[in-house]
Amino acid sequence: MKETAREVDDLQVLMDASHAAGTSHLREIITGDRRLTAAQVVAALDGMKVLSLATVTARGEPRVSAVDGHFLHGCWTFGTDGRAAKARHLEARPAVSAAHLDGERLGVFCHGRAVLLSPGDPTWDETIAHWTAHYGSDPTTWSDDIRMYRLEPSWLVGYGTVAPPD
């Protein structure tokens, strides 16, 4: 877990607002013990998680692909090669949706904006250090045009049966 107590609190506020703004259908499914808290989501998302990431084409058509996601400070981080279609989509239209699913055990659903990270970003060094520690090499060295992003969530809910954090 990289989140501070304040970041977990802020995430809980976002998750409560997201749940409240959801449809009655969503609120009937994500309820009771199946409605995860921010602390449960943060604990469950430790390490690399495969994200289904949805971007939008110039024609407004959705496209979904998988990316390695790392949840840091209440936001997903992910990378892609600049030659990927999703990189072009994100450059023109940064609105995205992402989901991490682990069967019936866990579902975290998020909408927001993908922000391209650069060495001048305050989170750059920590993000690259985290990814490097996980993979054993700096992700920016994997290709000539690796792009790293932070998904800033505007809506996020968690569903599942994960155990409460210690």
Side-chain angles (χ1 to χ4, degrees), residues 46-78:
D46 190 38
M48 190 284 286
K49 303 298 179 192
V50 176
L51 285 181
S52 295
L53 181 75
T55 60
V56 181
T57 68
R59 292 187 206 153
E61 299 168 331
R63 294 293 183 262
V64 67
S65 62
V67 296
D68 289 6
H70 293 260
F71 203 70
L72 303 172
H73 299 290
C75 297
W76 286 109
T77 62
F78 64 94

Side-chain angles (χ1 to χ4, degrees), residues 1-2 14 17 19 28 71 92 101 114 124 126 135 142 151:
M1 277 182 42
K2 303 287 185 190
L14 173 64
H19 187 266
E28 288 168 4
F71 203 70
L101 299 168
W124 176 262
E126 183 179 7
Y135 295 102
W142 298 345
L151 195 169

Side-chain angles (χ1 to χ4, degrees), residues 30-54:
I30 301 177
T31 188
D33 290 346
R34 302 275 233 172
R35 180 177 171 199
L36 301 181
T37 66
Q40 289 172 306
V41 166
V42 167
L45 297 180
D46 190 38
M48 190 284 286
K49 303 298 179 192
V50 176
L51 285 181
S52 295
L53 181 75

Side-chain angles (χ1 to χ4, degrees), residues 8 23 49 54 85 99 140 166:
V8 173
T23 64
K49 303 298 179 192
T140 64
D166 296 334

